[in-house]
Amino acid sequence: MALRFPPGFTWGASTAAYQIEGAGPPGSRGTSIWDTFAARPGRVRDGDNGDLACDHYHRYPEDVQLLEALGTGAYRFSVSWSRLQHAGRGPLNQRGIDFYSRLVDALLDRGIEPWVTLYHADLPQPLEDAGGWPARDTALRFADFAAAVHHFLAERVTRFITVNEPWCSALLGYASGEHAPGRTDPAAALRAAHHLLLGHGLALEAIRSIAPAQAGITLNVAPVAAATEHPDDADAARRVDGLTNRLFLDPVLRGEYPEDVVRDLSPLSNFGFTADGDLAAISAPMDFLGINYYAPQKVYGTPDAPPVEQPSRYPGMDRLGFHHTGRRTAMGWSIDASGLTGTLTRLTRDYPAIPLYITENGAAFDDEVTGGQVLDHDRIDYLDEHLRAAHAAITAGADLRGYFVWSLLDNFEWDQGYSKRFGLVHVDYASQERIPKLSAKWYRDVVQANGFD
Ligand code: IFM
């Protein structure tokens, strides 16, 4: 069925610094927690790391041309904190400023609006050594960094995302240890979550003090359902929804932590890390909320739950089963676009009056290059279904203003290294050749039509 998005709808593609840039010339980037983590045996699949990645540092002109060919009016990328401040504090490094200036200018020359994410997973290692996100000072350092970045970009960039997916940085980084810095300390993970949110609030204030900007945070929001009607499963679903979604949405959009989640977590923490004024800073009005959507989750909490599929990411919940059913991506994640409609309508109902952007949505598949082509019909199907689901939410009243595909390029998928390919553009990591996949051509047509015929 033909379908059109609202006039002025933003179309874009997303990436993140550590996942694509590579280190660049020797000495041009400080060490981040991902460099350290990737150097530890067994932490990243196949021993991969971000030393070269897509070598975007050198190849950004070609990547900007790929974006131009897609026809998207927007590009979301992150700035590397450890490139701009090797130690996570002090004046910005000139080589880093020059790199991002060149990138921003190249985008603006082609009429592509830069959407800059200020923090996307790559904390400078010296700040981790000083306590990392569980330490309050990291939030203050981040606000200084955000102000300095806005200072040099202010005349060219007006769209900022403060923090990407604080859930991942806090809970995968400090509770389950699947992501850098690889700590397994649930109480520290809760402090990290609070300080990531505080960093967001302080950064918002700092960047607005420099020049007007449109700014928001990006949260990974996922629908969580009980696997059965058993009360233990229902309670597990409530708790996981609390820890995945409401622990972040409520402070940002309501200025409070959800009571039931605070109660659940009381054996681990009394939330004494929340100082006077923190929640006011965290809930300062934003211009938009960014949503990263990939898959719904089904949760078991019964004693006879199927075995846990991963180390516990949920502080205070050690026995927990997750199931992904039906069609899945190469990540093993369920494909269920109705979860996106549900997420957007839930946000509209429970947290009204905030414009929404899907800042990431996409899927990894085991793409094959045949005769110089990648015919990724499975990715096209995934994107098609999710865009239709997003459109259904708009029809139902969601104030959705834009959509960014994850990702422009195949890239370093964190603990999965280069084994998972999310890009619209295939990257041959040995030669660094880029091949736009069939999905890139498909997306170009969607962008051009502002929908589907
Ligand atoms: O690659 C990541 C990205 O860095 C953050 N959101 C999820 C993507 C896929 O896992």
Side-chain angles (χ1 to χ4, degrees):
M1 192 183 73
L3 157 168
R4 292 282 177 272
F5 283 80
F9 194 77
T10 298
W11 293 99
S14 285
T15 61
Y18 192 81
Q19 295 179 273
I20 65 165
E21 282 180 8
S28 64
R29 186 172 79 175
T31 305
S32 82
I33 53 174
W34 271 98
D35 295 308
T36 308
F37 187 74
R40 284 161 65 186
R43 304 317 288 263
V44 174
R45 192 158 162 175
D46 301 328
D48 289 342
N49 60 45
D51 288 359
L52 184 59
C54 307
D55 196 22
H56 173 76
Y57 182 91
H58 293 109
R59 292 169 193 268
Y60 76 88
E62 183 183 352
D63 295 338
V64 172
Q65 276 172 19
L66 290 165
L67 275 166
E68 189 181 20
L70 280 182
T72 60
Y75 173 51
R76 171 179 177 243
F77 63 95
S78 75
V79 287
S80 157
W81 191 346
S82 48
R83 185 181 296 293
L84 284 164
Q85 286 181 326
H86 290 195
R89 63 184 81 223
L92 297 191
N93 178 293
Q94 192 57 44
R95 273 209 280 190
I97 293 182
D98 292 345
F99 169 64
Y100 292 113
S101 286
R102 291 194 296 272
L103 173 60
V104 163
D105 288 345
L107 292 167
L108 293 174
D109 283 351
R110 286 163 183 78
I112 301 168
E113 186 180 28
W115 284 56
V116 174
T117 304
L118 294 163
Y119 185 73
H120 194 124
D122 48 355
L123 187 70
Q125 183 62 39
L127 292 185
E128 173 60 21
D129 296 340
W133 284 110
R136 188 177 177 88
D137 188 58
T138 303
L140 310 185
R141 299 284 64 78
F142 177 61
D144 285 353
F145 170 66
V149 172
H150 192 203
H151 186 72
F152 91 83
L153 289 177
E155 282 168 17
R156 292 170 285 172
V157 177
T158 56
R159 301 282 192 168
F160 287 95
I161 290 162
T162 53
V163 175
N164 180 70
E165 298 183 347
W167 179 88
C168 294
S169 291
L171 301 189
L172 301 182
Y174 293 92
S176 71
E178 292 160 271
H179 280 192
R183 288 206 236 164
T184 48
D185 177 348
L190 297 178
R191 294 200 302 279
H194 180 71
H195 295 137
L196 281 150
L197 292 175
L198 181 62
H200 150 74
L202 298 177
L204 206 60
E205 194 184 324
I207 60 183
R208 286 195 174 136
S209 71
I210 305 278
Q214 293 275 308
I217 191 171
T218 277
L219 301 177
N220 48 311
V221 183
V224 182
T228 73
E229 285 173 4
H230 193 288
D232 289 351
D233 290 349
D235 195 53
R238 176 194 61 76
R239 290 181 66 143
V240 171
D241 176 59
L243 282 161
T244 307
N245 300 319
R246 292 181 289 116
L247 182 65
F248 298 91
L249 287 164
D250 282 19
V252 168
L253 294 165
R254 294 183 174 163
E256 61 192 20
Y257 280 113
E259 262 177 41
D260 62 318
V261 178
V262 172
R263 203 171 42 244
D264 292 342
L265 295 172
S266 56
L268 276 176
S269 168
N270 60 5
F271 278 60
F273 43 68
T274 313
D276 282 353
D278 282 7
L279 284 163
I282 292 170
S283 61
M286 302 186 294
D287 299 290
F288 60 84
L289 173 68
I291 295 298
N292 292 351
Y293 176 85
Y294 289 92
Q297 309 203 25
K298 271 215 171 97
V299 182
Y300 293 87
T302 43
D304 52 352
V308 176
E309 287 184 359
Q310 73 237 337
S312 182
R313 299 160 163 184
Y314 296 92
M317 299 187 76
D318 292 333
R319 275 190 33 263
L320 193 63
F322 281 92
H323 258 217
H324 285 276
T325 48
R327 287 184 301 142
R328 302 186 192 200
T329 69
M331 295 293 282
W333 300 341
S334 300
I335 302 176
D336 182 356
S338 69
L340 177 57
T341 314
T343 295
L344 294 169
T345 49
R346 174 208 188 166
L347 291 169
T348 305
R349 183 191 67 224
D350 294 349
Y351 306 92
I354 180 88
L356 302 171
Y357 287 85
I358 295 171
T359 42
E360 288 180 25
N361 173 239
F365 290 104
D366 296 325
D367 299 326
E368 279 173 25
V369 185
T370 319
Q373 289 186 303
V374 180
L375 303 179
D376 55 339
H377 293 284
D378 34 17
R379 181 171 292 101
I380 293 174
D381 289 347
Y382 179 98
L383 296 174
D384 182 283
E385 289 167 26
H386 285 76
L387 278 170
R388 289 178 193 278
H391 192 274
I394 296 174
T395 306
D399 185 7
L400 180 68
R401 307 238 177 130
Y403 176 92
F404 292 74
V405 175
W406 183 267
S407 175
L408 172 66
L409 303 169
D410 290 340
N411 60 50
F412 178 78
E413 177 52 25
W414 306 119
D415 57 319
Q416 299 300 312
Y418 296 101
S419 68
K420 305 293 180 215
R421 294 179 175 273
F422 277 88
L424 295 177
V425 175
H426 180 273
V427 177
D428 177 325
Y429 295 111
S431 67
Q432 289 295 337
E433 187 194 1
R434 274 84 163 130
I435 304 174
K437 302 177 191 175
L438 192 61
S439 57
K441 302 184 179 77
W442 173 88
Y443 190 52
R444 178 200 60 202
D445 292 346
V446 173
V447 170
Q448 210 163 50
N450 196 32
F452 311 97
D453 288 315

